[in-house]
Amino acid sequence: MTSGQLRLLLEGALNTIYLTLGGTGIMLVLALVAGIARTHGNRPVRFLAGCYIEVFRGLPVLVLAFWFVFALPALGWQLAPLWAGMLALGLNMGAYAAEVVRGAIQAVPPGQTEAGIALNLSRWQRIRYVEVPQAYVAMLPPLGNNLIELLKASAAVSIVSIPDLTFNGQLIRMSSGETTLVFTGLLFGYAVIALVLTALMRLLERRAVRSLGRVPEPGMLRRMLRRAEATA
C-alpha cells in the first residue's frame, strides 16, 4: 500500500470518527429530551416523544441518509453528505437511546423522588438534581452499546458518497485491486476505533459509580438546595 493510499485510509478513519462523534451528540440530546418527555411529560408530550421513538426506530439509517442527501434538496435545503450522515445516525440511534434513558429514570427508587418532594423541590429540580444523576450510572453501559452500534452503522452511510473509512477503502480497492489487504485494514480500523470508544465508556462508568457511591461532604446537601433555589 502506497503512502497516498495510506493517507486516504487515515482521512477516511478521521471522517468516521467525525461521523460517530457528531451522531453521538445528536443521539444524546434527542435521547435525553425524548426519554425525559416519556417519563415526566404530559399526555401530548408523551405522545410526540413516543411517535419519534417508534417512527425512527423503524427507519433504516441508509434510507434516512438517502432522504437527507437526495430528497431534502427538493424542499430547499441542501446538506453536506457528512452532516446528512450525522443527522441520519443521530435520529435513528437517538430513538433507541431514548428508551435507555426512560428505563434508567424509571429505575430510580421512588423514595428518592419522595425525598425531593419533601425538600420542596420542583419537578424539574427533582429531575436535574435527584433522578438524572442517579439514572446516569444505569444509562452508561447500554449507551456504550448504542455508541458502538452507531459506529458500525456509520459504514452503511458511505454509500451516499461520505468519504469515511469504508468509502475510501473501496476507492483504494478499486484502484489497486488489493481486496484482501484493504478489507483487512478496514477490519482493524473499525476494531481500533471501537476499542478506544469502549475504553472511554468504561472509564466514564467507573467514575460515575465512584461519584455516586462516595460519602457526601459536609454541607453538600445545603449547597445543592441553594443551587436549586437559585435556578428556580
Side-chain angles (χ1 to χ4, degrees):
M1 186 175 292
T2 66
S3 60
Q5 292 172 341
L6 183 59
R7 184 171 61 252
L8 188 63
L9 208 58
L10 291 176
E11 289 174 358
L14 188 60
N15 283 330
T16 293
I17 293 172
Y18 288 153
L19 267 175
T20 303
L21 295 180
T24 300
I26 297 171
M27 175 189 78
L28 291 177
V29 171
L30 293 174
L32 283 172
V33 172
I36 292 174
R38 285 291 297 270
T39 54
H40 292 284
N42 54 30
R43 187 176 299 237
V45 171
R46 290 199 305 270
F47 174 76
L48 291 175
C51 287
Y52 160 69
I53 292 170
E54 298 305 325
V55 168
F56 282 94
R57 279 197 306 184
L59 294 178
V61 172
L62 187 56
V63 174
L64 282 171
F66 272 125
W67 193 87
F68 285 124
V69 172
F70 300 114
L72 191 60
L75 303 177
W77 294 84
Q78 180 72 52
L79 289 177
L82 187 63
W83 290 103
M86 290 180 187
L87 192 55
L89 290 167
L91 284 168
N92 179 259
M93 296 307 302
Y96 289 97
E99 289 294 271
V100 172
V101 174
R102 180 186 63 82
I105 290 176
Q106 290 181 336
V108 174
Q112 300 295 318
T113 302
E114 293 169 3
I117 295 173
L119 291 171
N120 201 30
L121 298 180
S122 68
R123 173 188 293 185
W124 291 110
Q125 287 171 340
R126 293 196 302 272
I127 294 172
R128 179 178 177 184
Y129 296 111
V130 179
E131 296 179 12
V132 171
Q134 296 184 68
Y136 171 69
V137 179
M139 291 178 200
L140 282 177
L143 285 179
N145 292 335
N146 290 144
L147 176 59
I148 300 302
E149 289 297 325
L150 191 149
L151 168 65
K152 293 188 294 185
S154 69
V157 299
S158 64
I159 201 169
V160 293
S161 301
I162 297 175
D164 69 334
L165 189 57
T166 300
F167 184 85
N168 286 1
Q170 290 278 26
L171 292 180
I172 295 171
R173 184 189 67 84
M174 288 187 292
S175 63
S176 65
E178 298 177 348
T179 301
T180 303
L181 180 61
V182 169
F183 283 114
T184 302
L186 294 185
L187 286 176
F188 278 104
Y190 279 105
V192 168
I193 296 173
L195 288 173
V196 171
L197 293 177
T198 301
L200 291 174
M201 292 302 297
R202 293 286 184 270
L203 178 62
L204 286 177
E205 289 173 28
R206 288 195 294 269
R207 293 188 62 181
V209 170
R210 284 200 300 268
S211 65
L212 187 64
R214 69 186 178 189
V215 177
E217 301 171 1
M220 179 183 291
L221 181 58
R222 191 179 301 112
R223 289 197 298 273
M224 289 180 62
L225 288 174
R226 282 203 298 266
R227 193 186 314 163
E229 292 172 355
T231 58

